[in-house]
Amino acid sequence: IELKKQEAEFLGYQMHPYDALMNDYDKGLTVAITDDIFSDLKPQLINLLTLIQDRQPVDNEFLFQSFPKDQQWNFGMEILKRIGFDFEAGRQDISLHPFTINFNSRDVRVTTRIDEEDLGNMTWSCIHEGGHALYEQGLPVEQYGLPLGEYCSLSIHESQSRLWENCIGRSTAFWQHNFKLLKSFFPQQLGLVPVDEFYKGINKVAPSLIRTEADELTYHLHVMIRYELEKLLIGGSISSKDIPAYWNEQYQHYLGIEVPDDKRGCLQDIHWSHGSFGYFATYSLGSIYAAQFYAAIQREYPSLEEEIASGNTSPVSNWLQHNIYPHGRYHTSGELCFNVTGEKLNSKYFIEYATRKFTHIYAQ
């Protein structure tokens, strides 16, 4: 932390020392910009979560049965093909933590993890990392090694994985087409589960300890807690010894859960151990960008939901290939967003998307 404070001073900043570190992951991103977005998002998010908590809980027990490794692997490979991953320009393997790595746009590798007692772990790891990989495969190969051949920012990179994972991969339209395939791999486990029940179950909202296993809504509270903590650390308001108490207090306040130990608390992420201060906000910003991009895609393709339900995701791919991939890092995230959606980043699109989706799932 002391080294990161020194680094911020060497790099320079105008308003807050944390700005210098955030700029490493998203050029031009500042505390002022992030605070503005989060201060708008947080109360609306909490209101939506409060509404959900008062409704009948969603059942997702069917996801926690015995799902053999080989069948999960084969299903995941098929889903990657269906969203457009090019296996002539990449591959998938298994790792303890899913990730995407690329050497150029013609060699992009993803990994997934498989828990034989939890179907969701592998399924959305594949789709999430697939979204990252499609971005890398879509970058102009002739610009390899140059700024136009590199991704715009981590926020935009995360927008690609979240768009495919959540806006598409957790949508009712996607599973209207792909649930038959899933059942063909697991007829005994899922044969009697209706697609509507499956859709609700994969979108269950419930507070949890671990960020990477959080649902689509509470995930942002995990991120905001980390963002605020880092901002205080780099600004000098708190020190490292204060982290566990601050962390536990915030998890109790925002998620209503008691943190049993630091392993499942402030030591759960790898970011701090390798010095990645300034990274966390890009996760939530990515989801907000994703919702805004998805709204723009829907405007351009009014029948998008029907296309996805028929198995055709090419309208999404076409829009991204035209509006996101070819620009590399020519623009900042904010500039790119404005150019392709007609307005700056606005959390209203995520809130509208989430409200529409979860009030339907949790309708009385």
Side-chain angles (χ1 to χ4, degrees), residues 50-67:
T50 301
L51 175 68
I52 289 171
Q53 289 169 1
D54 293 335
R55 300 289 175 86
Q56 183 72 25
V58 163
D59 179 18
N60 68 346
E61 287 302 308
F62 54 80
L63 292 173
F64 303 97
Q65 304 181 64
S66 177
F67 295 96

Side-chain angles (χ1 to χ4, degrees), residues 1-13 16-25 230-231 233-236 270-279:
I1 291 167
E2 290 305 316
L3 284 171
K4 282 294 165 180
K5 288 180 180 178
Q6 291 180 40
E7 182 181 337
E9 295 300 325
F10 286 135
L11 290 172
Y13 53 88
H16 195 291
Y18 193 45
D19 292 348
L21 304 184
M22 297 180 78
N23 190 65
D24 268 354
Y25 304 102
E230 286 192 359
K231 191 168 62 172
L233 283 169
I234 302 304
I270 63 171
H271 300 63
W272 294 341
S273 64
H274 60 58
S276 294
F277 288 82
Y279 192 144

Side-chain angles (χ1 to χ4, degrees), residues 7-256:
E7 182 181 337
E9 295 300 325
F10 286 135
L11 290 172
Y13 53 88
Q14 290 187 334
M15 300 295 294
H16 195 291
Y18 193 45
D19 292 348
L21 304 184
M22 297 180 78
N23 190 65
D24 268 354
Y25 304 102
D26 192 330
K27 298 301 180 186
L29 184 63
T30 64
V31 165
I33 292 171
T34 309
D35 283 352
D36 186 51
I37 294 289
F38 283 0
S39 64
D40 182 61
L41 175 65
K42 185 187 291 185
Q44 298 183 79
L45 187 63
I46 291 173
N47 288 341
L48 182 55
L49 286 167
T50 301
L51 175 68
I52 289 171
Q53 289 169 1
D54 293 335
R55 300 289 175 86
Q56 183 72 25
V58 163
D59 179 18
N60 68 346
E61 287 302 308
F62 54 80
L63 292 173
F64 303 97
Q65 304 181 64
S66 177
F67 295 96
K69 179 179 180 180
D70 288 346
Q71 283 97 310
Q72 286 200 54
W73 171 261
N74 291 334
F75 171 68
M77 293 288 280
E78 185 61 34
I79 285 294
L80 279 175
K81 292 175 188 175
R82 290 192 175 195
I83 68 172
F85 182 81
D86 183 359
F87 279 95
E88 294 298 314
R91 58 179 287 137
Q92 178 172 254
D93 292 281
I94 292 176
S95 64
L96 288 175
H97 187 85
F99 65 90
T100 301
I101 187 170
N102 71 295
F103 300 94
N104 56 64
S105 64
R106 306 307 299 156
D107 186 359
V108 182
R109 309 180 189 192
V110 296
T111 71
T112 190
R113 65 180 169 202
I114 296 178
D115 181 343
E116 292 190 301
E117 305 299 323
D118 178 3
L119 179 64
N121 234 312
M122 184 282 310
T123 302
W124 285 279
S125 292
C126 283
I127 300 174
H128 179 99
E129 299 305 330
H132 281 304
L134 290 174
Y135 187 14
E136 293 290 349
Q137 289 184 339
L139 292 170
V141 66
E142 68 277 7
Q143 296 290 339
Y144 172 69
L146 300 170
L148 287 180
E150 299 174 357
Y151 64 89
C152 175
S153 69
L154 285 186
S155 297
I156 297 299
H157 225 313
E158 193 66 14
S159 78
Q160 302 306 288
S161 59
R162 292 295 175 179
L163 189 152
W164 284 102
E165 177 192 359
N166 293 330
C167 300
I168 299 169
R170 293 185 190 272
S171 71
T172 184
F174 185 79
W175 290 105
Q176 283 172 4
H177 179 73
N178 291 293
F179 196 44
K180 182 178 180 181
L181 173 70
L182 180 60
K183 281 189 171 185
S184 72
F185 282 98
F186 305 107
Q188 292 185 327
Q189 298 92 330
L190 300 173
L192 298 178
V193 179
V195 66
D196 288 346
E197 184 179 335
F198 180 80
Y199 166 66
K200 290 180 179 179
I202 64 176
N203 286 291
K204 181 175 181 175
V205 174
S208 59
L209 286 166
I210 307 300
R211 174 185 62 85
T212 57
E213 298 173 4
D215 60 78
E216 191 176 357
L217 294 184
T218 60
Y219 183 86
H220 298 289
L221 295 176
H222 289 262
V223 169
M224 289 176 188
I225 290 169
R226 289 156 172 77
Y227 165 72
E228 293 293 341
L229 201 160
E230 286 192 359
K231 191 168 62 172
L232 292 171
L233 283 169
I234 302 304
S237 300
I238 63 174
S239 62
S240 57
K241 65 180 175 59
D242 303 315
I243 293 175
Y246 179 92
W247 182 288
N248 297 351
E249 179 186 85
Q250 297 300 302
Y251 266 72
Q252 180 64 52
H253 178 68
Y254 285 112
L255 292 162

Side-chain angles (χ1 to χ4, degrees), residues 319-330:
W319 192 91
L320 295 173
Q321 288 166 5
H322 178 74
N323 291 284
I324 304 297
Y325 303 162
H327 301 293
R329 28 183 344 137
Y330 186 85

Side-chain angles (χ1 to χ4, degrees), residues 26-29 33 148 152-153 155-156 289 292-293 319 323-324 327-346:
D26 192 330
K27 298 301 180 186
L29 184 63
I33 292 171
L148 287 180
C152 175
S153 69
S155 297
I156 297 299
Y289 278 118
Q292 193 159 330
F293 293 157
W319 192 91
N323 291 284
I324 304 297
H327 301 293
R329 28 183 344 137
Y330 186 85
H331 306 288
T332 65
S333 302
E335 290 168 348
L336 180 65
C337 181
F338 187 86
N339 290 345
V340 302
T341 70
E343 57 186 300
K344 66 179 184 179
L345 182 62
N346 191 330

